[in-house]
Amino acid sequence: MSIPESEYLSPVWKDGLFNGRVVFVTGGAGTICSAQTRAMVRLGADACIIGRNVEKTEKAAKDIATARKGARVIGIGGCDVRSYESLASAAGRCVKELGGIDFVIAGAAGNFVVPLSRMSPNAFKAVIDIDVIGTFNTVKATIPHLVESAKRNPLPSKDGLTGGRIIAISATFHYTGMPLQGHVAAAKAGVDSLMASVALEYGPFGVTSNVIAPGPIANTEGMSRLSGVGDDVMGKRIPSGRLGSVRDISDATIYLFSDSGSYVNGHVLVVDGALWRMGGSVGVGTEIGVQYPDFLFTGQIAKGLAGQKGSSSKL
């Protein structure tokens, strides 16, 4: 299905910005990461997207390829980021079929709404494993290729083309703390810290490592899992007055991967309309009229959230 370019990419970017480059994306079939990948492909890159669901991943790859005539987009399903061997194999296939890896987006993540009192140890571990271990495995499997790409694309760039860059997708929950998101807050804090270490250790090799921390993004899997209020209500709670769009995240990605972002390294780029400045309780997992800390005493969590877990575990 052809998606209008205006939905995933601003008109300010130059055609051919990523000609001859390859982007490797974990979680690439998700709503945010697929938009990031589509934007990269539209601007000249080829892509390899990774996911656990074979059918969903392969279907997304074919759809993303429609963004540019002649684009090569590989979908590798059945790949679990918790397994280094699985990711290393996927990276090897990407290099063999597409010629290298110039950019990486570590976007695989797990989330659901649950208070600490009802969260099982296995549930907590699952999110840590997907987000933190998965990001580490992604870095480990792709960093040699990013170092090689950085060598091929020394700075300052003479032609505007770049390479040797990695972005992890994080969140803002751990800045102030977030009820019902203790597992994710802990995981994303680990992701941010890990990516800072990558910047420090691989910056001397020409690689840049940054983080994008999205806020509430409309029409995404994340919103269906987290929000118990309508988009209009959530939008009013955001200083910028609206929910974010996948295009907002795609544009941030293009900036960090382009020549414009060459000197940005070790940075967390928050793209949330200043919502994180409002503090940690903004309605995640709750319905209209339910206030903090009342829902913690009553156990009242919004009904119908995607991926919601039940557990009798007590803290």
Side-chain angles (χ1 to χ4, degrees):
M1 177 178 88
S2 180
I3 296 177
E5 185 175 325
S6 61
E7 293 187 11
Y8 65 87
L9 187 66
S10 293
V12 299
W13 305 110
K14 183 178 70 173
D15 280 345
L17 197 59
F18 301 114
N19 278 352
R21 302 304 187 263
V22 176
V23 59
F24 181 93
V25 186
T26 64
T31 44
I32 289 178
C33 290
S34 64
Q36 292 172 288
T37 309
R38 192 183 301 271
M40 294 288 293
V41 169
R42 168 62 184 84
L43 296 176
D46 291 323
C48 180
I49 65 171
I50 312 303
R52 279 188 287 178
N53 186 297
V54 175
E55 182 180 1
K56 180 181 179 181
T57 304
E58 293 179 351
K59 181 180 179 181
K62 292 179 181 178
D63 188 44
I64 291 168
T66 64
R68 189 187 85 252
K69 185 177 181 180
R72 296 179 296 167
V73 182
I74 302 171
I76 303 179
C79 182
D80 191 335
V81 296
R82 293 171 290 187
S83 165
Y84 169 73
E85 290 75 16
S86 184
L87 269 175
S89 176
R93 178 180 166 188
C94 177
V95 171
K96 181 178 180 180
E97 296 189 24
L98 298 180
I101 296 175
D102 300 289
F103 306 103
V104 172
I105 299 172
N111 198 355
F112 45 88
V113 168
V114 63
L116 293 173
S117 61
R118 283 167 41 195
M119 190 186 314
S120 70
N122 282 340
F124 185 87
K125 182 178 183 297
V127 173
I128 296 295
D129 284 352
I130 294 171
D131 287 44
V132 185
I133 304 302
T135 299
F136 171 80
N137 287 340
T138 301
V139 172
K140 192 73 174 176
T142 62
I143 200 68
H145 306 295
L146 293 179
V147 170
E148 288 301 313
S149 177
K151 288 181 182 178
R152 295 193 299 269
N153 297 278
L155 296 173
S157 174
K158 296 180 179 179
D159 54 11
L161 296 173
T162 60
R165 304 194 182 182
I166 181 169
I167 291 171
I169 303 303
S170 186
T172 63
F173 302 153
H174 53 293
Y175 299 168
T176 57
M178 176 73 74
L180 311 179
Q181 290 288 280
H183 49 323
V184 179
K188 294 307 188 183
V191 169
D192 289 5
S193 182
L194 173 62
M195 297 305 288
S197 294
V198 174
L200 294 174
E201 295 191 23
Y202 288 96
F205 293 91
V207 175
T208 68
S209 167
N210 293 293
V211 171
I212 293 176
I217 305 299
N219 304 314
T220 59
E221 296 168 26
M223 283 297 290
S224 70
R225 289 177 177 271
L226 300 180
S227 180
V229 302
D231 288 359
D232 56 338
V233 174
M234 179 62 78
K236 290 178 181 178
R237 297 176 177 178
I238 299 171
S240 290
R242 66 173 177 87
L243 293 178
S245 68
V246 292
R247 191 176 85 167
D248 292 320
I249 309 305
S250 295
D251 284 339
T253 304
I254 301 306
Y255 163 63
L256 290 174
F257 281 165
S258 73
D259 195 34
S260 297
S262 294
Y263 202 51
V264 182
N265 195 13
H267 181 62
V268 176
L269 178 57
V270 179
V271 186
D272 79 337
L275 179 61
W276 76 274
R277 296 284 185 182
M278 301 294 291
S281 183
V282 292
V284 167
T286 60
E287 296 174 328
I288 296 175
V290 178
Q291 301 295 320
Y292 174 86
D294 297 347
F295 59 84
L296 297 176
F297 298 128
T298 64
Q300 186 178 356
I301 295 176
K303 297 179 178 62
L305 297 178
Q308 188 171 339
K309 304 293 183 179
S311 172
S312 59
S313 178
K314 300 294 183 181
L315 187 61

